[in-house]
Amino acid sequence: MGQKVHPKGLRLGVLYNWNSRWFFSNKKAYREALISDIRIRETLMKKFSFASVTQVDIERAINKITVILYSVKPGMIIGRGGKGLEDVKNLVLFYIKKIGTKGKENKIDIKIEPVKKPYLSAYYVAQSIADKLIRNFPHRSAVHNAMNRVMEAGAKGVKIQLGGRIGGADISRREKYFQGTIPTSTIREDVDFAKYPSLTRSGYIGVKVWICK
């Protein structure tokens, strides 16, 4: 069961809140808002990957849209004199107009939240391992170093899985590494999960990280 069910999807509404928080009874408006949310989230995560953005939450009201970015280095997004915030606002406006939600969202509010313990965020850990694999670091040392950092940050347990042509091997394989306890099927346990692709010279290596907080 632990491999079949998404750990965050299993706990939605119990431990975790939805990343998009709004409601539309109109099917067309719902579809458009969903597509624009996906586009906004993907673009912001890609554009501000240098600031280690781990999560993007979007809240919609009748005439207001709030975008909350959780970042390890928030100062790099804000920039000098808040120039970065204007870039985020323009990008959100662009996707709202592109999808065609008829410009109902008059006010756009951008919030930048700092991630105080980055090594308790599964997305940040997966991203850091993927970056090391791209730079040709030995995969075992990268994984064990990340796991030690996670346990030092106060986690109960961590599980990391690599899949693909690990170390430039001819045949792809999967490798799993554990430390501590990861109860994947227990709903009351706070388990953070993320997956991140690492494009190495020999092809993609998928990185999956489970962290029991």
Side-chain angles (χ1 to χ4, degrees):
M1 183 182 176
Q3 291 183 32
K4 310 294 181 290
V5 179
H6 195 291
K8 273 196 162 178
L10 183 71
R11 294 165 176 82
L12 266 179
V14 182
L15 283 177
Y16 296 117
N17 205 346
W18 280 257
N19 288 349
S20 290
R21 296 184 281 275
W22 40 263
F23 175 78
F24 289 112
S25 55
N26 178 2
K27 282 185 181 178
K28 191 169 186 271
Y30 185 98
R31 185 172 71 240
E32 287 176 350
L34 182 66
I35 293 167
S36 72
D37 274 16
I38 291 165
R39 295 275 203 290
I40 289 165
R41 191 172 287 113
E42 282 178 354
T43 312
L44 288 175
M45 298 276 274
K46 207 171 187 179
K47 185 174 176 152
F48 296 108
S49 59
F50 62 86
S52 301
V53 174
T54 59
Q55 190 179 317
V56 177
D57 287 1
I58 298 166
E59 295 174 354
R60 291 172 189 261
I62 297 162
N63 58 355
K64 184 183 174 185
I65 179 166
T66 307
V67 179
I68 308 160
L69 284 93
Y70 294 86
S71 172
V72 177
K73 303 163 190 170
M76 292 180 80
I77 297 174
I78 296 162
R80 284 188 182 178
K83 187 181 177 292
L85 291 176
E86 282 301 314
D87 292 346
V88 176
K89 204 170 271 189
N90 293 337
L91 194 139
V92 172
L93 264 173
F94 171 75
Y95 277 109
I96 288 168
K97 286 172 186 172
K98 196 176 179 183
I99 299 300
T101 38
K102 295 171 188 172
K104 285 177 187 174
E105 288 85 5
N106 300 325
K107 194 182 174 191
I108 294 172
D109 192 15
I110 309 293
K111 291 179 184 174
I112 313 288
E113 296 285 340
V115 178
K116 286 169 185 172
K117 289 188 177 178
Y119 277 95
L120 286 182
S121 166
Y123 188 87
Y124 177 76
V125 174
Q127 192 182 35
S128 63
I129 292 169
D131 288 344
K132 283 182 179 177
L133 293 176
I134 290 166
R135 286 184 279 146
N136 227 6
F137 275 68
H139 66 279
R140 281 193 185 89
S141 68
V143 168
H144 286 296
N145 185 27
M147 285 202 300
N148 291 336
R149 291 277 190 95
V150 170
M151 295 305 282
E152 282 166 18
K156 274 188 183 178
V158 56
K159 178 168 85 171
I160 295 171
Q161 179 182 297
L162 304 179
R165 290 177 63 186
I166 302 163
D170 292 337
I171 298 168
S172 69
R173 65 181 190 275
R174 278 191 300 176
E175 286 188 9
K176 286 183 185 177
Y177 302 88
F178 299 86
Q179 211 167 314
T181 56
I182 294 282
T184 39
S185 306
T186 314
I187 292 173
R188 65 175 173 268
E189 283 288 358
D190 188 355
V191 178
D192 194 12
F193 170 77
K195 51 187 177 181
Y196 198 91
S198 173
L199 182 54
T200 62
R201 286 178 185 177
S202 51
Y204 273 108
I205 294 175
V207 182
K208 287 184 180 180
V209 177
W210 292 257
I211 294 174
C212 179
K213 298 178 187 177

